[in-house]
């Protein structure tokens, strides 16, 4: 939002406050100031000059050679304006002048003649949009006077406010609200418009005649609605300089006096409004209602909008005129022959306006304001401001009837007890009661004496209670930000700091993160929980999650919730493998198959361009399950796993295991199929595991650990490499050996490595640990254990590699 300093001066005298100081105080206490510009500085260097001679250019028909006189010196200027003529007094910019667009004039040769300056149009002066010819001053305009003096335009400071910083303050979406803040910040008088005398004057405009327009409101989503009729206006009249230049400076194009007054009042008060051409209404009754069926509606921008049941409309004779709170219809626009208008103001339920605006993709100045929950009580003030300006511009206009009230706002003042001792304790400031009362009063709060000298009763104004009722803590914040946060004392807090147990789901997430970073040697990633159909197709994932598609997605690539971590991981893998030979990453994220049943999953991916990492990843998975104290095991076979479809083409046919816990399958570990990797132009080997941790996210589990007596004697390790067919499951080789066998001193066994061999074979290396709690194993003990292991493997069809 753009704010003109001169416009603020209408309501608070800031002449004693420097611009840097104003920006600093506003930024510290109220709003975030972005860009700062100084407008119309070039007008101080452009002067009035008289064209004393005009001759056609000898070679170019559209050019003229003019001699201009500034009163003290004469210049030759080459000009192409079609309206230039001898005797005119025009704006002249000499060599070295910097124009509003940033261009600096230089002595220039144009078609064989030197031009010693430039004659300017309204657009080039940045005071209008007319570029059809040079601007011509009245005949009695003195020569050599600056355009700034002639037009009464001084350099104007414009502040650009970041809208995000005032989302919670709808009262600051207008010049009037910002001016009130400035007055409070600097302790200056606020020039209130809405006084008793002003209201009496505005009410005197209206008559006891019957209004030609009656209002009927049938929607509960209309919080306030009112309007009045006026005739004797002229839509062909242009706005005076004050309104036109202010609108243009803040980015609104002046059109005519009626449209400009409407926009001007909205920007000043922060309250949108609409001017109807009364003759276009047809019926006397203007209905405010919810749309009862789907239909097409042509808005002012000449676009067809698809309305749905429930959208708010203003209609006459069942003919929609306005899409309430967003934009008027094409048949409600002010035209050149308009002489009689109906001025309406309203406040709508913010959720309805936001929902409709988002669905239609139609964002306007009005909808942005209504979405912030405007003050229903301020509609009458805004209408009075419209009436005041209409009377000023069209003194002979006639107001027909009274202001029609279609819906009265439902708001009543409420009391907050403000305790200055509590405020000082919270803020660590020393503020006396009189100062606090002065601050609250300057912000529009009504104050009455309290039950004792430390308290007062405070009644917030309606414009500060549009979202929810304020409480004492809100008043404390108001006092603190106006008084200045720089007064906060630097001291330790006086209340005790007590340790707090983290929620169970947070503890689980941190436990997973710590383990996979420190033991899994992986980087944590955060992929987007929204994916698109293309990503699912790239992952060869058949379930497209059609039931969880967003109605108004920002992009087709992010239009639905993901059913698995696999598509997101494959996307991250494809990107990172271009830059790294090997890497590991994990994510603690969410997946969904049903809207109200999101699941918490942890996924882990390992990639290596040179060799398979399936065994290492499976070891990390087992260690993670043990770390989380989840009683689970890895099983092989064709299993209907809810996390991994049986027919998924991305799974390696042999390197795949399922995680089973309490008869349920909660995850998997799998190598990605070479064909899937090749299709995505991924070179090397990749595997991943995924676990559904939802059952344990909010489960309180005791810290139970299994302790084993340390071995007293030296351990012996033996490796055995056996041959197996390429399609043989590695897990079967390991499962034929006993995990623990005191008779042959076996205390553990695991797969060490797997590597390919010729003739569709592969070699599997097992590592077996041998030990005893009773004595040191002899050579005979080790030999007996070795023979037992070799024989057991052979009996199951796996012979040692020779």
């Amino acid at each position: 939002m753009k704010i003109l300093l001169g416009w603020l001066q209408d309501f608070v005298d800031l002449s004693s406050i420097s611009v840097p100081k104003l920006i600093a105080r506003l930024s510290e206490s109220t709003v975030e100031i972005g860009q700062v510009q100084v407008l119309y500085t070039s007008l101080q260097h452009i002067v009035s000059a008289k064209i004393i001679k005009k001759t056609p250019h000898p070679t170019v028909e559209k050019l003229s050679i003019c001699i201009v006189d500034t009163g003290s010196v004469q210049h030759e200027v080459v000009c192409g304006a079609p309206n230039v003529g001898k005797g005119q007094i025009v704006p002249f910019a000499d060599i070295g002048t910097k124009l509003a667009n940033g261009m600096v004039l230089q002595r220039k040769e144009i078609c064989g003649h030197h031009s010693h300056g430039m004659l300017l149009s309204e657009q080039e002066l940045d005071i209008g949009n007319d570029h059809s010819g040079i601007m011509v001053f009245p005949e009695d305009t003195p020569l050599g006077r600056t355009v700034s003096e002639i037009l009464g335009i001084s350099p104007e400071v414009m502040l650009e406010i970041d809208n995000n910083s005032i989302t919670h303050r709808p009262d600051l979406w207008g010049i009037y609200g910002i001016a009130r803040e400035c007055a409070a910040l600097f302790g200056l008088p606020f020039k209130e418009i809405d006084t008793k005398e002003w209201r009496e004057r505005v009410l005197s405009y209206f008559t006891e005649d019957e209004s030609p327009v009656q209002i009927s409101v049938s929607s509960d989503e209309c919080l306030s609605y009112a309007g009045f009729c006026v005739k004797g206006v002229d839509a062909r009249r242009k706005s005076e300089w004050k309104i036109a230049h202010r609108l243009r400076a803040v980015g609104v194009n002046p059109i005519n006096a009626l449209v400009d007054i409407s926009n001007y009042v909205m920007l000043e008060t922060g309250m949108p409004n609409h001017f109807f051409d009364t003759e276009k209404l047809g019926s006397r009754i203007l209905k405010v209602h919810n749309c009862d069926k789907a239909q097409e509606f042509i808005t002012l921008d000449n676009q067809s909008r698809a309305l749905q049941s429930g959208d708010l409309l203003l209609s006459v004779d069942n003919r929609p005129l306005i899409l309430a709170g967003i934009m008027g219809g094409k048949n409600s626009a002010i035209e050149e022959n308009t002489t009689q208008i109906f001025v309406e103001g309203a406040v709508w339920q913010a959720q309805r306006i936001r929902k409709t605006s988002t669905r239609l993709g139609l964002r306007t100045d009005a909808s942005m304001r209504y979405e912030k929950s405007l003050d229903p009580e301020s509609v009458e003030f805004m209408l009075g401001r419209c009436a005041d300006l209409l009377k000023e511009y069209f003194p002979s206009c006639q107001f027909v009837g009274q202001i029609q009230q279609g819906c009265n706002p439902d708001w009543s003042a409420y009391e907050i007890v403000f305790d200055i001792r509590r405020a000082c304790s919270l803020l660590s400031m020393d503020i006396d009661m009189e100062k606090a009362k002065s601050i609250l009063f300057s912000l529009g709060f009504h104050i009455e004496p309290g039950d004792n000298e430390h308290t007062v009763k405070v009644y917030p104004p309606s414009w500060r209670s549009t979202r929810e009722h304020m409480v004492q803590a809100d008043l404390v914040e108001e006092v603190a930000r106006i008084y200045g946060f720089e007064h906060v004392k630097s001291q330790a807090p006086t209340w005790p700091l007590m340790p707090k147990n983290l929620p169970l789901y947070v503890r689980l997430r941190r436990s997973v993160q710590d383990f996979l970073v420190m033991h899994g040697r992986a980087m944590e990633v955060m992929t987007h929980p929204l994916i698109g159909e293309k990503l699912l197709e790239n992952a060869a994932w058949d379930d497209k999650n059609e039931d969880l598609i967003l109605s108004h997605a920002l992009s087709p690539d992010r239009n639905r919730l993901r059913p698995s971590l696999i598509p997101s991981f494959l996307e991250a893998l494809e990107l990172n493998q271009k830059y790294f030979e090997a890497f590991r990453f994990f994510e603690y994220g969410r997946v969904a198959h049903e809207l109200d049943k999101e699941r918490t999953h942890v996924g882990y991916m390992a990639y290596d361009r040179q060799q398979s990492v399936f065994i290492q990843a499976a070891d990390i998975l087992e260690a993670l399950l043990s770390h989380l104290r989840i009683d689970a095991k890895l099983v092989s076979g064709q299993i209907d796993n809810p996390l991994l479809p049986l027919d998924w083409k991305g799974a390696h046919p042999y390197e795949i295991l399922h995680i089973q816990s309490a008869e349920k399958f909660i995850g998997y570990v799998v190598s990605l199929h070479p064909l899937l990797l090749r299709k995505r132009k991924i070179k090397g080997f990749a595997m991943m595991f995924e676990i559904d941790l939802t059952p344990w996210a909010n489960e309180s589990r005791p810290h139970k650990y299994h302790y084993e007596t340390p071995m007293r004697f030296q351990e012996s390790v033996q490796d055995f490499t056996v041959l197996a067919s390429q399609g043989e499951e590695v897990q079967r080789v390991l499962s034929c050996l006993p995990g623990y066998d005191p008779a042959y001193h076996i205390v553990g066994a695991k797969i060490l490595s797997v590597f390919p061999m010729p003739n569709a074979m592969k070699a599997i290396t097992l590592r077996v640990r041998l030990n005893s709690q009773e004595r040191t194993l002899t050579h005979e003990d080790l030999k007996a254990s070795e023979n037992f292991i070799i024989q057991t493997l052979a009996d199951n069809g796996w012979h040692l590699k020779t």
Side-chain angles (χ1 to χ4, degrees), residues 22-214:
L22 173 64
I23 294 172
R25 286 290 284 134
L26 275 175
S27 299
E28 291 168 0
S29 64
T30 308
V31 298
E32 184 177 342
I33 304 296
Q35 188 178 10
V36 180
Q37 289 181 299
V38 181
L39 309 177
Y40 310 125
T41 55
S42 62
L43 301 184
Q44 296 179 314
H45 308 287
I46 300 170
V47 299
S48 57
K50 186 173 184 178
I51 302 175
I52 60 176
K53 184 179 179 181
K54 173 194 171 184
T55 57
H57 193 282
T59 58
V60 182
E61 181 180 352
K62 294 184 178 180
L63 296 181
S64 302
I65 301 173
C66 302
I67 305 298
V68 298
D69 182 12
T70 64
S72 58
V73 65
Q74 296 181 0
H75 297 278
E76 182 180 87
V77 179
V78 179
C79 181
N83 66 328
V84 66
K86 181 180 178 181
Q88 293 175 333
I89 299 178
V90 297
F92 166 72
D94 202 351
I95 301 299
T97 302
K98 185 177 182 179
L99 302 182
N101 61 8
M103 182 180 71
V104 178
L105 296 183
Q106 298 178 350
R107 187 172 180 270
K108 188 176 182 182
E109 182 178 324
I110 302 176
C111 298
H113 282 74
H114 289 283
S115 182
H116 296 267
M118 185 176 178
L119 307 183
L120 305 172
S121 66
E122 285 187 6
Q123 188 181 75
E124 290 161 337
L125 290 168
D126 197 30
I127 61 172
N129 297 320
D130 188 2
H131 191 53
S132 60
I134 58 173
M135 184 177 183
V136 180
F137 294 129
E139 295 180 358
D140 58 350
T141 303
L143 301 183
R145 300 284 294 275
T146 66
V147 175
S148 181
E149 293 175 312
I150 295 170
L151 299 180
I153 305 173
S154 301
E156 183 81 85
V157 177
M158 183 183 72
L159 311 178
E160 190 164 347
I161 292 174
D162 182 1
N163 289 349
N164 291 328
S165 65
I166 55 174
T167 299
H168 64 300
R169 291 286 303 275
D171 60 302
L172 297 183
W173 281 73
I175 299 291
Y176 196 64
I178 296 291
R180 183 188 292 109
E181 287 286 315
C182 292
L185 285 172
F186 297 102
L188 298 172
F190 178 58
K191 302 173 186 177
E192 186 86 36
I193 294 180
D194 194 6
T195 61
K196 180 181 179 181
E197 294 76 14
W198 176 81
R199 284 180 174 264
E200 291 175 351
R201 177 165 58 83
V202 170
L203 290 176
S204 69
Y205 300 154
F206 298 95
T207 66
E208 296 298 328
D209 300 331
E210 184 179 4
S211 174
V213 177
Q214 302 297 318

Side-chain angles (χ1 to χ4, degrees), residues 233-436:
V233 296
D234 185 0
R236 291 170 295 183
R237 178 176 174 180
K238 297 295 181 182
S239 301
E240 294 179 1
W241 166 252
K242 176 183 175 181
I243 286 184
H245 104 273
R246 285 180 174 179
L247 290 177
R248 189 179 295 108
V250 297
V252 179
N253 186 31
I255 298 176
N256 58 53
L258 293 179
V259 176
D260 294 351
I261 288 173
S262 174
N263 288 328
Y264 188 86
V265 171
M266 179 184 69
L267 295 172
E268 185 175 85
T269 65
M271 299 290 296
N273 57 79
H274 193 81
F275 288 13
F276 295 93
D277 187 331
T278 310
E279 296 179 359
K280 291 183 179 181
L281 295 181
S283 173
R284 288 169 50 87
I285 300 177
L286 182 63
K287 296 182 178 179
V288 181
H289 63 100
N290 292 97
C291 184
D292 56 0
K293 62 181 179 179
Q295 57 182 298
E296 295 294 318
F297 179 64
I298 308 297
T299 47
L300 278 173
D301 56 359
N302 206 30
Q303 298 292 318
S304 178
R305 311 287 178 178
L307 304 185
Q308 293 183 0
S309 176
D311 289 344
L312 270 169
L313 290 176
L314 276 74
S315 302
V316 171
D317 298 330
N318 296 320
R319 175 170 51 92
L321 285 180
I322 291 182
L323 182 56
I326 300 176
M327 185 178 282
K330 187 178 181 181
N331 55 0
S332 71
I334 299 291
E335 297 181 349
E336 286 188 357
N337 58 353
T338 298
T339 59
Q340 183 172 327
I341 61 173
F342 176 75
V343 181
E344 61 103 32
V347 171
W348 318 97
Q349 189 183 74
Q351 295 89 334
R352 167 59 62 183
I353 301 303
R354 187 181 304 113
K355 180 179 179 180
T356 305
S357 176
T358 302
R359 192 190 76 246
L360 296 176
L362 181 60
R363 299 273 292 176
T364 63
D365 280 343
S367 69
M368 285 191 296
R369 286 169 166 78
Y370 283 126
E371 288 176 10
K372 308 303 182 292
S373 300
L374 295 180
D375 174 26
E377 290 281 320
S378 297
V379 170
E380 188 176 352
F381 166 62
M382 181 273 296
L383 290 176
R385 192 72 181 110
C386 288
D388 222 7
L389 287 176
L390 286 169
K391 194 67 176 177
E392 179 182 337
Y393 263 70
F394 307 99
S396 61
C397 70
Q398 298 176 347
F399 293 80
V400 184
Q402 299 288 320
I403 295 178
Q404 300 293 307
Q405 294 285 349
C407 178
N408 292 316
D410 181 19
W411 187 86
S412 58
Y414 58 94
E415 176 187 298
I416 304 173
V417 176
F418 177 76
D419 190 330
I420 190 64
R421 295 170 301 180
R422 173 66 173 164
C424 292
S425 174
L426 287 173
L427 298 173
S428 185
M429 290 182 180
D430 294 326
I431 309 176
D432 61 76
M433 178 60 86
E434 291 304 315
K435 181 63 176 178

Side-chain angles (χ1 to χ4, degrees), residues 91 206 226 270 368 424 548 605 706 777:
F206 298 95
M368 285 191 296
C424 292
L548 296 182
M605 174 163 279
H706 174 66
L777 297 179

